[in-house]
Amino acid sequence: MNCDIDGDLENQVEMEEKTRLINQVLELQHTLEDLSARVDAVKEENLKLKSENQVLGQYIENLMSASSVFQTTDTKSKRK
């Protein structure tokens, strides 16, 4: 009878360990899914910001070229 109890106890411990491991794997899968979704969102935001930066850069460049303050001057002609 002792052998039966020991065997049942071992089986129960193994089942609990398997259940714990399965739950841990499932939790890690959910975490991975969440992280993957976050990476996708960050990539999308990064592309959007790059595009906005290009537009702003072009706008600033256009403003600078239209402004006389940023125009290149000939220093030799000013000295004479």
Side-chain angles (χ1 to χ4, degrees):
M1 265 182 106
N2 244 356
C3 289
D4 286 345
I5 293 174
D6 288 342
D8 288 345
L9 204 60
E10 280 183 30
N11 285 340
Q12 184 178 356
V13 169
E14 282 182 22
M15 288 301 294
E16 288 174 359
E17 180 67 13
K18 284 180 183 179
T19 302
R20 186 186 68 77
L21 289 173
I22 288 170
N23 287 336
Q24 189 176 15
V25 166
L26 291 173
E27 183 179 336
L28 290 172
Q29 282 179 334
H30 293 306
T31 301
L32 181 59
E33 288 171 358
D34 292 343
L35 288 172
S36 181
R38 177 71 178 133
V39 166
D40 290 341
V42 168
K43 282 181 180 178
E44 190 173 310
E45 181 70 14
N46 185 33
L47 288 174
K48 179 182 166 193
L49 290 173
K50 279 184 179 180
S51 175
E52 288 176 6
N53 281 344
Q54 287 177 339
V55 169
L56 288 173
Q58 187 63 46
Y59 176 73
I60 290 169
E61 191 176 303
N62 290 342
L63 285 176
M64 289 173 62
S65 67
S67 173
S68 62
V69 174
F70 295 105
Q71 296 297 319
T72 57
T73 57
D74 187 4
T75 57
K76 292 180 182 177
S77 63
K78 284 190 171 182
R79 290 184 185 169
K80 291 184 179 179

